[in-house]
Amino acid sequence: MHLQHIWLQDFRCYQEAELTLADDLTAIVGDNGQGKSSLLEAVSYLATLRSFRGVPTEALVRQGATASIVRAEGERDHRTLLIEAEISSNGRNRVQVNRQRLQRTRDLLGFLRVSVFAPDDLELVKAGPGIRRTYLDDTLVALNPSMHQSLSDLERVLRQRNTLLRQARGRLTTEIETTLDVWDTQLAQLGDTIATERVGLVDQLAPLLNSAYASVAGKPVQIGVIYEPTWLVEGLAEALARVRVEDLRRQVTTMGPHRDDVWFTVAGLPARTHASQGEQRSLALALRLAAHDLVSTVTGSSPVLLLDDVFSELDPQRSDALVASLPPGQTLLTTAGALPSGVTPDQTLRVVNGELFAV
Amino acid sequence: MSSYAAPVQDLIDELGRMPGVGPKSAQRIAFHLLKIPTEDALRLATAITEARQRVAFCTRCFNVTEGELCGVCRDERRDTTVLCVVEEARDIVAVEKTGQFRGRYHVLQGAISPIEGIGPEQLRVAELLTRLEPEAVTEVILCTNPNIEGEATAMYLGRLLQPLGIRVTRIASGLPVGGDLEYADELTLGRALQGRRDLETG
């Protein structure tokens, strides 16, 4: 979906805001804490139904308001599309497409797609496995919105199973055992589905990641992506049976797609421990670019690029390389400082305390 | 926040405890009740009192009933060999509306959900097992909801019942009749494809 208009109401620090987007690059400038990132957050909410800053959706509602509304008008397949979301402070969110209320919020997924670049993307390489799983799973949902259901089912089954494990208090009665069997079967089915999808995704990403890295770093380096859950060969059902005693003792599910990691290697060495700071930064950018590339190719339309203050963290050489590597398409970028040379916005807006001004 | 007179606030709080009623709706209903003629409001109060005093659960299937046995269990024309297991009594009404089922029911009064503290022992599972022999049940239809908890409950019961030599079936999930294929979500459509059957042209 190509965006034309965005309206915000009671979203973060915005009481009311309206903006028209350029076909290509819109730059949003302003000091820190004025609401630049919030604008991108609003757009990405329409695409993913959550905040890319990892906060609960209730936190998006402006202080003192009961609900925020995000509305975007754009074009898809030569048709005008109006998508709207109401984010409620009590967690009951609603969505509409062309004034028609959708039954479930997740039905909004797939109308708008975004690729978010944020300063903390470096954590994709440096931090724990959670953010890497999120990276894979977000990309899977962008490629196929029905994955959202499998992922939320997984979350629910895990909550149920872990609660049961806590209730068991380490004892395995017949009652607990038969109930646990049932959750294991559900977890195994979901786990196998999700892991298979992740394996397929990693295979598709690998070549794109190599070329993205080469263009960001300015030279080709062998990049590896390894996703090999220990349980994948035997199947999750078998693995869960094997670790059942351990799960009961620790009162938590120790095996499954929620515990998996994805490893990246740079020139054959683990990126997290062996790559230099610069290589890690290049890899983080390459990961975002590769996912963007894949989603564009598979879905036949480029996600809207959301660049949240990415240049501030990069040295001039790398930021020039990023500018050169950025795919064409609609882009929204925020910056607190000056734009790198070579970036020429079609439109620039200044944010001051939740209000937008044309520059 | 609360600046209403105590009885009003009490009413709002009580209404807010109802399933599916949030604080806003509770407020709206409360003020509606205060605005309508007194006798209309009291009729509702009487209906609640009456229902609570006169309605109990069927001793056999745990459907709601006025007597000891519910209407379905009292009906002698019904097939006792087929049992339809549902989560709540209201699901019986839904199945009855189809006119497709002539057997008896068994209400579990919930679904397995550790989060809500509901395990098999909190459900009417033991009561289900004791019914099988006296009523010569040959088939149990698992009619629990097609969500995580409903599936878990169906799976649990299936494992319990299958070794007893009883035919255990699960209701199919699929497309709503009279709908358009293009509006079906992928999951429902996928399930419908999995559960496809041969076309009957006879």
Side-chain angles (χ1 to χ4, degrees), chain A residues 201-212:
Chain A
L201 174 64
V202 162
D203 286 346
Q204 284 180 291
L205 277 175
L208 302 173
L209 191 55
N210 272 279
S211 54

PDB file of all heavy atoms in Angstrom, chain A residues 201-212:
ATOM      1  N   LEU A 201      12.450 -19.618   5.624  1.00  0.00           N
ATOM      2  CA  LEU A 201      12.751 -18.188   5.550  1.00  0.00           C
ATOM      3  C   LEU A 201      14.256 -17.941   5.563  1.00  0.00           C
ATOM      4  O   LEU A 201      14.774 -17.142   4.771  1.00  0.00           O
ATOM      5  CB  LEU A 201      12.085 -17.465   6.727  1.00  0.00           C
ATOM      6  CG  LEU A 201      12.419 -15.977   6.884  1.00  0.00           C
ATOM      7  CD1 LEU A 201      11.918 -15.190   5.685  1.00  0.00           C
ATOM      8  CD2 LEU A 201      11.815 -15.417   8.166  1.00  0.00           C
ATOM      9  N   VAL A 202      14.957 -18.633   6.456  1.00  0.00           N
ATOM     10  CA  VAL A 202      16.404 -18.465   6.569  1.00  0.00           C
ATOM     11  C   VAL A 202      17.086 -18.816   5.242  1.00  0.00           C
ATOM     12  O   VAL A 202      17.984 -18.114   4.787  1.00  0.00           O
ATOM     13  CB  VAL A 202      16.935 -19.310   7.752  1.00  0.00           C
ATOM     14  CG1 VAL A 202      18.425 -19.515   7.649  1.00  0.00           C
ATOM     15  CG2 VAL A 202      16.566 -18.640   9.069  1.00  0.00           C
ATOM     16  N   ASP A 203      16.610 -19.883   4.603  1.00  0.00           N
ATOM     17  CA  ASP A 203      17.162 -20.265   3.299  1.00  0.00           C
ATOM     18  C   ASP A 203      16.963 -19.172   2.260  1.00  0.00           C
ATOM     19  O   ASP A 203      17.840 -18.896   1.449  1.00  0.00           O
ATOM     20  CB  ASP A 203      16.508 -21.558   2.792  1.00  0.00           C
ATOM     21  CG  ASP A 203      17.014 -22.778   3.553  1.00  0.00           C
ATOM     22  OD1 ASP A 203      18.039 -22.640   4.263  1.00  0.00           O
ATOM     23  OD2 ASP A 203      16.379 -23.843   3.457  1.00  0.00           O
ATOM     24  N   GLN A 204      15.779 -18.543   2.300  1.00  0.00           N
ATOM     25  CA  GLN A 204      15.491 -17.484   1.332  1.00  0.00           C
ATOM     26  C   GLN A 204      16.275 -16.211   1.631  1.00  0.00           C
ATOM     27  O   GLN A 204      16.652 -15.482   0.729  1.00  0.00           O
ATOM     28  CB  GLN A 204      13.989 -17.149   1.349  1.00  0.00           C
ATOM     29  CG  GLN A 204      13.113 -18.168   0.659  1.00  0.00           C
ATOM     30  CD  GLN A 204      11.656 -17.729   0.743  1.00  0.00           C
ATOM     31  OE1 GLN A 204      11.049 -17.731   1.808  1.00  0.00           O
ATOM     32  NE2 GLN A 204      11.098 -17.351  -0.392  1.00  0.00           N
ATOM     33  N   LEU A 205      16.493 -15.958   2.926  1.00  0.00           N
ATOM     34  CA  LEU A 205      17.172 -14.721   3.322  1.00  0.00           C
ATOM     35  C   LEU A 205      18.669 -14.756   3.026  1.00  0.00           C
ATOM     36  O   LEU A 205      19.258 -13.728   2.699  1.00  0.00           O
ATOM     37  CB  LEU A 205      16.974 -14.456   4.819  1.00  0.00           C
ATOM     38  CG  LEU A 205      15.695 -13.775   5.274  1.00  0.00           C
ATOM     39  CD1 LEU A 205      15.651 -13.721   6.796  1.00  0.00           C
ATOM     40  CD2 LEU A 205      15.588 -12.355   4.703  1.00  0.00           C
ATOM     41  N   ALA A 206      19.286 -15.937   3.159  1.00  0.00           N
ATOM     42  CA  ALA A 206      20.756 -16.038   3.104  1.00  0.00           C
ATOM     43  C   ALA A 206      21.381 -15.327   1.897  1.00  0.00           C
ATOM     44  O   ALA A 206      22.260 -14.482   2.076  1.00  0.00           O
ATOM     45  CB  ALA A 206      21.178 -17.492   3.195  1.00  0.00           C
ATOM     46  N   PRO A 207      20.944 -15.637   0.668  1.00  0.00           N
ATOM     47  CA  PRO A 207      21.595 -14.962  -0.473  1.00  0.00           C
ATOM     48  C   PRO A 207      21.358 -13.449  -0.467  1.00  0.00           C
ATOM     49  O   PRO A 207      22.269 -12.671  -0.798  1.00  0.00           O
ATOM     50  CB  PRO A 207      20.941 -15.616  -1.702  1.00  0.00           C
ATOM     51  CG  PRO A 207      19.710 -16.279  -1.207  1.00  0.00           C
ATOM     52  CD  PRO A 207      19.936 -16.619   0.225  1.00  0.00           C
ATOM     53  N   LEU A 208      20.150 -13.027  -0.067  1.00  0.00           N
ATOM     54  CA  LEU A 208      19.837 -11.594  -0.038  1.00  0.00           C
ATOM     55  C   LEU A 208      20.689 -10.882   1.001  1.00  0.00           C
ATOM     56  O   LEU A 208      21.133  -9.749   0.805  1.00  0.00           O
ATOM     57  CB  LEU A 208      18.355 -11.382   0.284  1.00  0.00           C
ATOM     58  CG  LEU A 208      17.369 -12.040  -0.671  1.00  0.00           C
ATOM     59  CD1 LEU A 208      15.940 -11.896  -0.161  1.00  0.00           C
ATOM     60  CD2 LEU A 208      17.491 -11.416  -2.066  1.00  0.00           C
ATOM     61  N   LEU A 209      20.921 -11.573   2.108  1.00  0.00           N
ATOM     62  CA  LEU A 209      21.714 -11.004   3.186  1.00  0.00           C
ATOM     63  C   LEU A 209      23.159 -10.789   2.736  1.00  0.00           C
ATOM     64  O   LEU A 209      23.769  -9.764   3.029  1.00  0.00           O
ATOM     65  CB  LEU A 209      21.658 -11.966   4.383  1.00  0.00           C
ATOM     66  CG  LEU A 209      22.203 -11.483   5.718  1.00  0.00           C
ATOM     67  CD1 LEU A 209      21.542 -10.190   6.131  1.00  0.00           C
ATOM     68  CD2 LEU A 209      21.965 -12.557   6.778  1.00  0.00           C
ATOM     69  N   ASN A 210      23.669 -11.746   1.977  1.00  0.00           N
ATOM     70  CA  ASN A 210      25.037 -11.620   1.470  1.00  0.00           C
ATOM     71  C   ASN A 210      25.185 -10.427   0.541  1.00  0.00           C
ATOM     72  O   ASN A 210      26.136  -9.663   0.646  1.00  0.00           O
ATOM     73  CB  ASN A 210      25.462 -12.912   0.770  1.00  0.00           C
ATOM     74  CG  ASN A 210      26.076 -13.904   1.746  1.00  0.00           C
ATOM     75  OD1 ASN A 210      27.238 -13.798   2.096  1.00  0.00           O
ATOM     76  ND2 ASN A 210      25.269 -14.835   2.221  1.00  0.00           N
ATOM     77  N   SER A 211      24.208 -10.236  -0.352  1.00  0.00           N
ATOM     78  CA  SER A 211      24.363  -9.104  -1.273  1.00  0.00           C
ATOM     79  C   SER A 211      24.098  -7.785  -0.550  1.00  0.00           C
ATOM     80  O   SER A 211      24.747  -6.781  -0.845  1.00  0.00           O
ATOM     81  CB  SER A 211      23.483  -9.275  -2.515  1.00  0.00           C
ATOM     82  OG  SER A 211      22.154  -9.499  -2.150  1.00  0.00           O
ATOM     83  N   ALA A 212      23.170  -7.779   0.416  1.00  0.00           N
ATOM     84  CA  ALA A 212      22.917  -6.541   1.169  1.00  0.00           C
ATOM     85  C   ALA A 212      24.148  -6.158   1.977  1.00  0.00           C
ATOM     86  O   ALA A 212      24.540  -4.996   2.026  1.00  0.00           O
ATOM     87  CB  ALA A 212      21.710  -6.726   2.088  1.00  0.00           C
TER      88      ALA A 212
END
